[in-house]
Amino acid sequence: AQKITQTQPGMFVQEKEAVTLDCTYDTSDQSYGLFWYKQPSSGEMIFLIYQGSYDEQNATEGRYSLNFQKARKSANLVISASQLGDSAMYFCAMREALTSGGSYIPTFGRGTSLIVHP
Amino acid sequence: EAGVAQSPRYKIIEKRQSVAFWCNPISGHATLYWYQQILGQGPKLLIQFQNNGVVDDSQLPKDRFSAERLKGVDSTLKIQPAKLEDSAVYLCASSDSLSTKKTDTQYFGPGTRLTVL
């Protein structure tokens, strides 16, 4: 079973509008971390935002916010006031503990391609 | 602060040949990761090092892939012999925790694009 599901292969948004990128996850752990990364066409993965499973507040970083709904196991990324430079692939990722040793290993989703139109 | 360095950026080989990729993490970062990213997919973790020890290599195809981080700093990933399905981008990342935690933020290098003909 997929641990991270991103159901939107592609999204289009008008410049200056907000957009939500969906992410659902599957884990039996109580303690885990959720991340969003941006991958422009240059290929480098850029960290955007982090949410811990015990964090009560939704994470925010500038124009990025994470809509965390723990009971639904969803961690959607909201980008406000989209810019042309936001056009890229966006990946949701989760770190959960290895059952054996307590180290946390990361798993990524398949990504969503965002295109921002002028 | 210098980022994660990887070389080469591009490599084209024929199947059954060998290839090696090099990664130098951010100075002081204890944890190093190698990922394989096939076109149209998310990165798949191949191996995770903490200093020079292996934390997880459960998804590393050990019959053909090997990786080492002998001095706990830079790392080499090798494929021998390569198959057509190994064509992908190989990403290296590092994080600064001494023990991997759920909060660890990874910093990625530019990747090596491998094409196997």
Side-chain angles (χ1 to χ4, degrees):
Chain A
Q2 289 282 336
K3 286 195 174 281
I4 298 285
T5 302
Q6 295 181 252
T7 56
Q8 307 153 314
M11 289 286 286
F12 298 86
V13 66
Q14 199 80 24
E15 193 178 10
K16 299 179 187 175
E17 291 186 347
V19 62
T20 298
L21 306 183
D22 294 342
C23 173
T24 57
Y25 59 91
D26 181 27
T27 181
S28 56
D29 285 351
Q30 295 301 308
S31 178
Y32 51 88
L34 297 158
F35 299 79
W36 278 91
Y37 286 85
K38 172 184 178 181
Q39 189 176 42
S41 56
S42 60
E44 193 162 336
M45 300 280 281
I46 302 166
F47 166 73
L48 296 177
I49 196 167
Y50 165 80
Q51 178 85 42
S53 58
Y54 291 122
D55 295 343
E56 295 185 354
Q57 302 281 342
N58 285 342
T60 59
E61 290 284 351
R63 295 186 299 111
Y64 304 107
S65 61
L66 202 152
N67 184 0
F68 180 47
Q69 297 186 49
K70 192 171 181 177
R72 299 174 105 181
K73 294 189 175 178
S74 75
N76 299 339
L77 177 71
V78 180
I79 305 175
S80 63
S82 297
Q83 301 172 357
L84 296 178
D86 294 335
S87 294
M89 286 292 293
Y90 288 80
F91 291 93
C92 180
M94 175 174 63
R95 294 189 82 114
E96 55 182 340
L98 284 174
T99 54
S100 56
S103 293
Y104 288 82
I105 60 169
T107 306
F108 282 76
R110 295 178 68 96
T112 294
S113 174
L114 176 66
I115 296 176
V116 180
H117 288 300
Chain B
E1 178 182 81
V4 177
Q6 290 188 248
S7 66
R9 291 296 311 277
Y10 304 92
K11 190 74 178 177
I12 301 174
I13 61 172
E14 295 190 348
K15 60 183 179 183
R16 292 188 288 274
Q17 285 188 323
S18 301
V19 65
F21 312 128
W22 174 81
C23 172
N24 192 26
I26 292 172
S27 177
H29 278 197
T31 307
L32 185 147
Y33 314 77
W34 281 103
Y35 289 89
Q36 180 192 59
Q37 186 176 20
I38 292 172
L39 186 65
Q41 298 182 20
K44 181 181 85 170
L45 181 69
L46 294 176
I47 188 167
Q48 180 174 320
F49 291 97
Q50 191 171 302
N51 295 311
N52 59 352
V54 175
V55 173
D56 182 75
D57 62 357
S58 58
Q59 298 191 99
L60 186 74
K62 297 181 186 64
D63 57 334
R64 297 184 302 106
F65 286 64
S66 64
E68 59 185 14
R69 192 184 185 201
L70 292 175
K71 296 181 180 178
V73 181
D74 55 350
S75 175
T76 303
L77 176 70
K78 296 179 181 177
I79 308 175
Q80 181 178 10
K83 293 185 175 181
L84 297 177
E85 58 262 34
D86 298 332
S87 293
V89 174
Y90 290 85
L91 294 166
C92 179
S94 68
S95 63
D96 62 2
S97 294
L98 290 177
S99 61
T100 54
K101 302 185 293 292
K102 66 177 182 179
T103 55
D104 286 355
T105 297
Q106 299 171 80
Y107 298 90
F108 284 80
T112 296
R113 184 176 298 276
L114 174 68
T115 302
V116 182
L117 303 175

